[in-house]
Amino acid sequence: MELSRRVFSALAGTTVLGLALGGSVSGGAVPASGAPGLVPTGPPPGPPAADGARHRVALDRHSLLVDGRRLALWAGELQPFRLPSPSLWRDVLEKMRASGCNAVTVRVAWNQHSPAPGRYDFTGVRDLDLFLRTAAETGLYVVLRPGPYIGADVDGGGLPGWLAATGGRPGSADPAYLRHADEWLGRVDAVAARHQYTRGTGTVLLYRLDAPDRAHLARLHRTVRADGIDVPLLHDDGPVLLGEAHRGADAAGARRAHLADLARGVTLHDAVPVFGGTSWGWLAAPSAPAPTYDPAAAIDEARRPTENLAPLHQIGHLLRHVADLSRLEEAPGVRAGDARLQVRHLANPDTGAHVYVVSNDSAEDVTSTLPLDGTDATVTVPARDARLLAAGLDLGAGRKLAYATVQPMLTMSAGRLDIAVFTGRTGEMAHVVLDFPDEPWPTRLDEEAAWAYDKGGLHVTAPLGTHGLTRVRVRSADSDRTLLLLFADDALSLRLWPYETPTGKGLVYGPALLRTAALDGDTVRLTGDTVDAYGLEVWAPRGVTGVTWNGRAVATRVSRAHSLRSRDPLPGVSEPVLPALGDWRRREENPEAEPGFDDSGWTAADRTASHSTTPVPEGQPVLFADDYGFHYGDVWYRGRLTGADGLESVSLSYGTGARGMLMAWLDGEPLGTHRAEPGEAGGTWTATARFRLPSALRERLGERRRDGRPRSGVLSVLVRRTQHDQDDIRAARGLTSVAFEGAAPPVRWRLLGAAAPDPVRGPLNNGGLYGEREGWHLPGYDDGGWEPVSLPRADRRQGVTWYRTTFRLDVPPETDASVGLTLDDDPSRDYRVQVFLNGWNMGEYVGGEEGTQRTLVLPNGILRTRAAVNTLALAVLSGAGPAGPGTVRLTLLGGAAGGVPVEPVASPGPS
């Protein structure tokens, strides 16, 4: 399929949004131009750092221009608010850098930083300054996205809950909203301005504007420029093509998404997200309510690689190391022999290199002929997959790739070697053809490879991955440099780690991760992670004769591939022993259901008008939780009925996000539990729970007091309101209306939600359960008077019950262990468990729901792993049926020898 010329013409002209809207880019930015050859293809800029030098940043119709050099941006998204352990930011950023990313996209969630109007917090797990410093230290550019609206399946799209109760309409030109939005951006910009790459004080390279229309966009542009932001500003509707490749369900889907963007002319790539992370607390939006945000991300919530990392790793290193791809233009269309393969043909006008993106949308593997730079080659594309094939790439020393039937991953020079890596599916036969006017001298270093020379072309074939990495060495009379061909399948490609030093590049093969590489005289000092015992092979700059791994010398020998190869495998990780969880203590709560409970300090529901998009029922007060300042978690209501004689049933209408529920009591007697079901409104679930009063309760309510006056009743309601809608934060949460049958007693309502936001854990950590208000979830709370129990349990009680225990971990310092909490029970048992670790709300287990998440990740830092005690608290919400918790155990999700130092996350106890 031929790429439309309109796509490429849309890229022409000025592409810095700041210039397009009348602004400028500081640091002497190069004006963008479509003139051919103005900025020729060449080596990309080196890894970025806060180096104190001013830098020029611009774009033309092909790519970013950094200090006059072309840069193909390959950004991966990491949402810091989904990793509540600042030490682990470095871990994931280093993994992203090692896996091909040269930039990180950062969305900043307003609701994480602002518990109330005019109040902002950028400390602890919200320390944006620390995150930007860490990104610079790991050699990554930053693309900043501060919103105000960020989407990202976050409660309210990142807008703070308190905004629902203000007069301004979010995302509009309403001055009441813009006043708050400008204040938010000003707080973020004050931090970001200190880290701009143009000033040499950080690596913030681009600033992403998110606005609903052009007028709003222009206003945002003026605002951030006035705040001192001088890097280029980007927007979805701008003249630069932005590629947001959301991961597919598998590696094939991820590869198709990434390559589709490249094929349509994208040079600013953003993989969304690279790290999945945890929707801890009340962070999740209704669109993704589970604690694990994205289990199919390239790096999962437990910080382990998934199968989707391979395409990210391969394409990222290709863009980083092969300069030809930084300037591609539409080339004449070509067709495969089999029409099921769609082909987009691009070329670099400077180098003559050709790129073919071949996609297969069918459900079967397709093998077909394909004209690669004039030669009909036989290629295979797996079902619902895609391949990037190339011809004419420079392999060093003037040697060219004629064509290849598998995907190149990188070309580089290391010492006296030129190295080219090719990747594909396990068992696939790679066919690589090199241009050689005269017959070269190939050497097969592994038995699986074969070669033949014919008519100026060296044909090399090798099966991928069947016996490990395959190496072929090629020498020729026209150069004193040796060409080394490496062939790897997807799994082996994730053991190949290119690195850069001030004196040259290198390549490491073997470990699970390479974090850093530094030269120290004749020694290259490597740090990284191992999982299993595996050999180490290092190609290094000239003069390097020694290797250390994580500070220890490695005995090596010089291999036939001119590498330093370890004599013994690097050791794998020792699996730590996790303790069993026991010594549980139990305590029931919800005294709010009792008629004599003192609610005099609760907020009176006495409003008659609301800023909500949900209508206020005629003749009833506003009951919406947000209007009274309760924006997250569970909310209690108590209604005092004056005269309930003849009352037969109660109907309670309520609004929630996903998985919302309601419990009701009248005069302490349980009326029942109700669960909201998805409706047509998407992110808002509305329901009406109708409860018929038991006959004994009706008789009691019909009795008169001794003074002859009607008996009063107390209606207590607990609503698990869950999340705000991303697209309508002002839709009501909590009770919306109440109706009675058999009588119409007047009602005076009071309500109560979360107490003041936790000053350390933030506004989205706590809800309004009695135990939360009393600190039962916090470490250090004295539960000595609670009932000792063992698990599993089978309680039958409507309401909330708490369980607490402590446990100690002692993971060795050289081991990075990822630990989860697994809750096992009969899936038909319908109850909820809110999990608190050291006071941090790590998410919810939902029983009675098919496919519910059973294991919650406990991030290191919040989880104390080095000879320290942890406090685990479970808040169980259940109806009248049998409820757990069932078996609760710690689960080892993964481990590595290596990792990064982890500082404990502040976890204060009761004040």
Side-chain angles (χ1 to χ4, degrees):
M1 177 170 49
E2 186 172 340
L3 181 60
S4 167
R5 296 184 183 276
R6 184 174 60 184
V7 170
F8 281 90
S9 63
L11 296 173
T14 299
T15 58
V16 175
L17 183 58
L19 297 177
L21 294 175
S24 63
V25 181
S26 70
V30 178
S33 171
L38 179 65
V39 179
T41 301
D51 55 11
R54 297 188 73 83
H55 296 277
R56 297 174 299 157
V57 183
L59 304 96
D60 68 8
R61 71 187 182 96
H62 297 290
S63 71
L64 269 165
L65 304 173
V66 177
D67 295 328
R69 293 186 177 189
R70 294 201 175 279
L71 175 70
L73 193 76
W74 188 248
E77 184 164 313
L78 166 60
Q79 299 165 0
F81 49 81
R82 281 199 164 99
L83 185 54
S85 177
S87 297
L88 297 184
W89 296 342
R90 181 179 300 275
D91 175 67
V92 177
L93 289 170
E94 288 182 349
K95 289 173 178 173
M96 290 172 59
R97 170 73 184 172
S99 298
C101 293
N102 56 15
V104 56
T105 297
V106 185
R107 301 192 202 216
V108 190
W110 186 358
N111 57 10
Q112 285 285 292
H113 296 269
S114 183
R119 290 176 54 192
Y120 297 91
D121 184 354
F122 286 87
T123 65
V125 300
R126 296 164 294 279
D127 193 338
L128 179 61
D129 189 88
L130 173 60
F131 183 91
L132 297 179
R133 291 200 312 271
T134 306
E137 291 166 2
T138 54
L140 288 169
Y141 294 107
V142 175
V143 180
L144 194 67
R145 294 189 66 174
Y149 175 89
I150 63 168
D153 296 308
V154 176
D155 183 284
L159 300 177
W162 55 258
L163 202 61
T166 63
R169 183 165 62 88
S172 72
D174 190 317
Y177 165 72
L178 293 177
R179 175 170 53 85
H180 294 300
D182 288 351
E183 185 178 67
W184 159 244
L185 290 177
R187 296 300 185 102
V188 176
D189 294 346
V191 178
R194 301 196 297 268
H195 295 271
Q196 296 183 93
Y197 192 60
T198 47
R199 303 182 185 184
T201 53
T203 56
V204 174
L205 186 73
L206 299 170
Y207 187 108
R208 181 80 175 268
L209 296 175
D210 294 276
D213 52 51
R214 193 71 181 177
H216 198 176
L217 178 63
R219 187 183 182 282
L220 278 177
H221 167 263
R222 293 191 299 270
T223 298
V224 300
R225 288 290 186 235
D227 288 341
I229 301 299
D230 54 34
V231 297
L233 308 178
L234 301 176
H235 184 258
D236 285 338
D237 295 330
V240 182
L241 281 180
L242 304 173
E244 285 190 356
H246 293 264
R247 57 97 184 119
D250 53 20
R255 184 162 33 245
R256 287 176 70 195
H258 294 314
L259 292 181
D261 279 343
L262 189 145
R264 68 187 181 93
V266 169
T267 56
L268 306 182
H269 299 267
D270 187 7
V272 182
V274 168
F275 171 72
T278 299
S279 293
W280 58 277
W282 299 104
L283 177 66
S287 50
T292 296
Y293 174 48
D294 190 347
I299 302 171
D300 72 11
E301 183 185 12
R303 299 175 289 114
R304 303 167 299 181
T306 71
E307 67 166 8
N308 287 352
L309 183 60
L312 181 89
H313 184 82
Q314 295 162 4
I315 301 171
H317 283 302
L318 181 66
L319 292 175
R320 182 189 292 183
H321 293 94
V322 180
D324 304 77
L325 275 69
S326 65
R327 184 183 177 191
L328 293 174
E329 295 185 347
E330 181 186 14
V334 299
R335 294 182 181 274
D338 191 315
R340 289 175 295 175
L341 296 185
Q342 298 177 318
V343 185
R344 286 182 170 175
H345 181 200
L346 312 174
N348 186 304
D350 297 331
T351 67
H354 294 261
V355 169
Y356 306 84
V357 175
V358 189
S359 59
N360 175 13
D361 294 337
S362 75
E364 299 176 339
D365 293 3
V366 175
T367 299
S368 173
T369 57
L370 179 67
L372 299 178
D373 199 19
T375 301
D376 282 342
T378 300
V379 301
T380 298
V381 182
R384 297 190 177 91
D385 207 335
R387 288 288 183 267
L388 182 148
L389 306 178
L393 295 185
D394 181 10
L395 302 183
R399 295 159 177 158
K400 291 282 187 178
L401 172 70
Y403 67 88
T405 64
V406 288
Q407 185 166 301
M409 174 174 151
L410 62 85
T411 63
M412 66 186 307
S413 296
R416 293 181 174 85
L417 283 177
D418 296 317
I419 302 174
V421 180
F422 296 89
T423 63
R425 196 168 47 159
T426 302
E428 183 176 358
M429 183 62 71
H431 182 193
V432 172
V433 182
L434 310 177
D435 283 330
F436 278 102
D438 300 312
E439 186 170 359
W441 311 315
T443 302
R444 183 175 58 186
L445 304 181
D446 296 284
E447 292 300 320
E448 295 77 25
W451 60 269
Y453 181 76
D454 180 46
K455 298 178 182 179
L458 177 66
H459 295 250
V460 180
T461 58
L464 300 180
T466 54
H467 294 87
L469 190 67
T470 300
R471 308 160 183 82
V472 175
R473 190 179 66 202
V474 183
R475 295 171 178 163
S476 60
D478 59 356
S479 175
D480 63 353
R481 295 186 63 79
T482 297
L483 175 63
L484 182 66
L485 304 177
L486 302 179
F487 299 91
D489 65 0
D490 287 349
L492 290 175
S493 75
L494 293 176
R495 292 184 180 272
L496 286 165
W497 309 103
Y499 64 89
E500 299 176 59
T501 74
T503 59
K505 295 182 178 182
L507 182 66
V508 169
Y509 170 64
L513 176 69
L514 177 69
R515 292 185 183 272
T516 64
L519 296 186
D520 182 5
D522 62 357
T523 299
V524 59
R525 300 191 178 278
L526 308 174
T527 68
D529 297 358
T530 58
V531 175
D532 53 349
Y534 210 89
L536 174 69
E537 192 168 4
V538 181
W539 290 272
R542 292 187 182 188
V544 173
T545 59
V547 177
T548 67
W549 178 257
N550 289 343
R552 296 181 180 179
V554 178
T556 62
R557 58 180 175 82
V558 179
S559 75
R560 296 170 66 202
H562 301 295
S563 63
L564 296 172
R565 202 164 184 176
S566 64
R567 295 185 180 274
D568 298 304
L570 297 178
V573 63
S574 298
E575 185 172 303
V577 177
L578 301 180
L581 299 178
D583 298 325
W584 290 95
R585 291 183 173 274
R586 173 182 181 273
R587 183 174 176 181
E588 298 177 355
E589 64 140 275
N590 50 278
E592 301 95 335
E594 298 303 322
F597 180 80
D598 181 9
D599 60 16
S600 60
W602 289 24
T603 301
D606 54 8
R607 301 192 176 192
T608 57
S610 170
H611 294 298
S612 174
T613 54
T614 302
V616 179
E618 184 176 354
Q620 295 196 31
V622 174
L623 296 174
F624 315 153
D626 284 305
D627 284 77
Y628 298 97
F630 306 121
H631 307 300
Y632 307 109
D634 301 297
V635 179
W636 273 98
Y637 295 82
R638 282 173 57 87
R640 294 190 177 273
L641 286 60
T642 302
D645 186 12
L647 184 61
E648 296 179 355
S649 69
V650 177
S651 294
L652 304 169
S653 297
Y654 63 111
T656 75
R659 298 173 169 174
M661 65 181 296
L662 174 149
M663 297 179 177
W665 295 258
L666 185 56
D667 273 0
E669 294 290 332
L671 297 181
T673 299
H674 191 273
R675 288 151 189 83
E677 298 294 335
E680 297 180 359
T684 294
W685 298 19
T686 59
T688 297
R690 183 176 181 273
F691 300 116
R692 184 168 180 81
L693 274 60
S695 57
L697 181 58
R698 292 201 305 269
E699 291 176 5
R700 190 163 74 242
L701 290 174
E703 296 174 357
R704 294 273 172 169
R705 297 186 347 174
R706 291 182 179 179
D707 59 7
R709 294 162 56 189
R711 181 183 294 276
S712 296
V714 177
L715 179 59
S716 301
V717 182
L718 174 63
V719 180
R720 174 144 287 191
R721 41 155 300 149
T722 64
Q723 320 90 347
H724 293 94
D725 189 343
Q726 281 196 117
D727 300 320
D728 184 6
I729 192 175
R730 296 189 298 163
R733 292 294 185 265
L735 282 182
T736 55
S737 67
V738 180
F740 302 103
E741 293 182 18
V747 187
R748 290 180 291 110
W749 286 100
R750 291 184 179 272
L751 71 161
L752 186 66
D758 189 309
V760 172
R761 300 172 180 91
L764 276 73
N765 192 73
N766 297 353
L769 297 180
Y770 182 87
E772 291 176 289
R773 303 197 306 268
E774 294 295 314
W776 294 3
H777 61 302
L778 297 176
Y781 178 83
D782 184 6
D783 58 13
W786 290 24
E787 173 193 5
V789 296
S790 60
L791 299 183
R793 297 281 297 181
D795 289 340
R796 290 180 177 271
R797 173 181 179 271
Q798 176 176 296
V800 185
T801 307
W802 285 76
Y803 298 82
R804 283 173 56 96
T805 189
T806 60
F807 62 92
R808 181 186 178 92
L809 288 180
D810 193 3
V811 178
E814 66 276 9
T815 299
D816 176 13
S818 183
V819 178
L821 185 75
T822 299
L823 297 94
D824 286 323
D825 204 350
D826 181 343
S828 67
R829 299 218 296 178
D830 190 356
Y831 64 94
R832 310 289 178 87
V833 182
Q834 207 70 32
V835 176
F836 294 89
L837 175 67
N838 295 326
W840 290 83
N841 182 347
M842 300 316 304
E844 180 186 36
Y845 165 85
V846 180
E849 182 174 290
E850 185 176 352
T852 189
Q853 182 174 336
R854 295 184 174 277
T855 298
L856 281 65
V857 174
L858 308 177
N860 294 351
I862 290 179
L863 178 68
R864 310 297 172 87
T865 62
R866 311 297 190 204
V869 173
N870 297 273
T871 299
L872 181 63
L874 309 178
V876 178
L877 281 71
S878 60
T887 301
V888 181
R889 56 188 168 85
L890 297 174
T891 303
L892 184 65
L893 302 177
V900 299
V902 177
E903 294 293 327
V905 176
S907 301
S911 57

